[in-house]
Amino acid sequence: MSTLSVSARWTFRLHRWAVIMWASLVAVGTGVLLWMAGPLMDEAARGWQQVQACGEGPCIVRDDGLSLYMSTYDLVTDALFLMPFLVAAWAGATLTARELESGTALPAWTQGVSPARWLASRLALPAVVVTAGAGLLVALHRYAWSSSEGRMGTRAGWWLLRTFYANGPALVAVCLAALAVGALTGLLVPRTLPALGITVAVTALLFTAAHWLMPYLWPSVTEVNDFGHGYAGEFSGIEVTHGMVTSTGAHVPTPYCAADVTDRCQRLYERHGGTGFFSSYHPESHYWPLQLTTSAVLLVVTALLTAASFVVLRRRTG
């Protein structure tokens, strides 16, 4: 039996409770999402139809299913959005820092397992488990979200922060990046609690940076509207920038207007030479390009962090 397989088996034994907990969370999430997409969705759709049929008339509508669906959706979506931070907390505390702090890594290095193989086994198994679990939950979340199309008028917009990430592979890429951050942090700061805090903080910064960069990874579309129709894509896409179009065709920032009447603001805009609004945004057709480009950037970062971990380990062990 190869030393790498022995090390992988030891890694599983060392982190088996974390694997069991992760598998349990994935199993519970899978059940809830399938329930949301099936029986709960049917009940919510019936409640929505009753609300629509009632209109503004004096009738009593039982929309318990609709309310339960919306609260469950919010809870599950929040849980998925926070999933990278759960991975970060575990990786920062136990992936490398705990073994270096306790000294249990040193005997492994002197018993035929090289430091590089030791680190490879610490990364490979968690990466497979995290990818499989997070990927399944993301796919089921998108399935549950899609099941409400045409059946309810309260579906969360695809462009909303939590829904955008809970529905696509970029969230899985963030989880893998968090795993790599935890491994590198544990090597640089081989103390459990400090490594945990640093990993969570760095993951938050990385997630924020990826979200800020995301709209610029794919060309946006620009549309012009008259003042009466407002900014295009304001409630149907991911906005990159907006402003006012002048009579010369220039795109400038919209002048500040505190008036509570639209006509007053329009007269103000026209005095500044404005003829309408422009908006650069991403429509729904850009969903997958944005997801895939963001995932690619995060995976490149993950690869760089992983390479840095091996460099740091080589320097620590000579």
Side-chain angles (χ1 to χ4, degrees):
M1 186 177 296
S2 68
T3 55
L4 185 59
S5 61
V6 171
S7 183
R9 289 179 59 188
W10 173 250
T11 300
F12 176 76
R13 291 180 58 187
L14 186 65
H15 299 290
R16 63 185 180 276
W17 287 112
V19 174
I20 292 172
M21 287 297 297
W22 176 256
S24 300
L25 291 174
V26 172
V28 171
T30 297
V32 172
L33 287 167
L34 290 175
W35 174 60
M36 280 178 55
L40 183 56
M41 182 69 256
D42 294 338
E43 189 174 349
R46 285 192 293 269
W48 175 255
Q49 291 170 1
Q50 292 175 10
V51 170
Q52 292 299 102
C54 180
E56 298 180 359
C59 54
I60 299 176
V61 176
R62 292 187 58 85
D63 62 346
D64 296 345
L66 181 59
S67 299
L68 180 59
Y69 176 87
M70 294 174 67
S71 59
T72 303
Y73 178 87
D74 287 338
L75 179 63
V76 172
T77 305
D78 285 340
L80 261 68
F81 187 75
L82 295 175
M83 190 164 52
F85 301 99
L86 176 64
V87 174
W90 172 79
T94 67
L95 192 58
T96 56
R98 187 174 66 179
E99 289 191 66
L100 291 176
E101 183 179 29
S102 64
T104 57
L106 296 178
W109 297 345
T110 59
Q111 294 177 6
V113 178
S114 67
R117 288 189 174 185
W118 171 85
L119 180 57
S121 67
R122 295 304 180 274
L123 289 171
L125 177 62
V128 171
V129 172
V130 166
T131 300
L136 175 62
L137 291 177
V138 163
L140 289 175
H141 186 278
R142 182 165 182 83
Y143 170 66
W145 175 81
S146 300
S147 67
S148 64
E149 184 175 8
R151 304 185 67 185
M152 292 197 314
T154 57
R155 186 169 79 159
W158 70 271
W159 66 91
L160 296 177
L161 176 67
R162 299 175 308 152
T163 299
F164 178 83
Y165 286 102
N167 272 353
L171 189 67
V172 181
V174 178
C175 290
L176 291 175
L179 191 70
V181 169
L184 179 58
T185 303
L187 293 171
L188 293 172
V189 186
R191 297 174 58 193
T192 301
L193 290 180
L196 185 156
I198 293 171
T199 301
V200 172
V202 173
T203 298
L205 290 174
L206 182 61
F207 203 166
T208 302
H211 181 64
W212 175 85
L213 184 63
M214 177 265 294
Y216 304 98
L217 295 175
W218 194 260
S220 60
V221 299
T222 300
E223 291 187 16
V224 176
N225 277 344
D226 58 43
F227 291 125
H229 288 84
Y231 300 110
E234 186 174 9
F235 300 107
S236 61
I238 298 175
E239 187 178 76
V240 178
T241 186
H242 67 260
M244 186 177 72
V245 180
T246 68
S247 56
T248 62
H251 290 186
V252 299
T254 303
Y256 175 73
C257 178
D260 56 358
V261 180
T262 303
D263 290 343
R264 293 180 183 176
C265 287
Q266 183 171 336
R267 288 194 293 271
L268 171 66
Y269 301 151
E270 289 173 348
R271 285 199 300 271
H272 285 78
T275 60
F277 292 128
F278 80 90
S279 178
S280 296
Y281 71 102
H282 293 284
E284 187 171 4
S285 60
H286 289 190
Y287 174 80
W288 282 111
L290 290 174
Q291 280 282 346
L292 295 177
T293 52
T294 304
S295 299
V297 170
L298 287 166
L299 291 177
V300 169
V301 173
T302 301
L304 293 175
L305 291 170
T306 302
S309 297
F310 282 96
V311 171
V312 170
L313 181 63
R314 187 180 302 114
R315 291 182 177 179
R316 284 181 61 92
T317 60

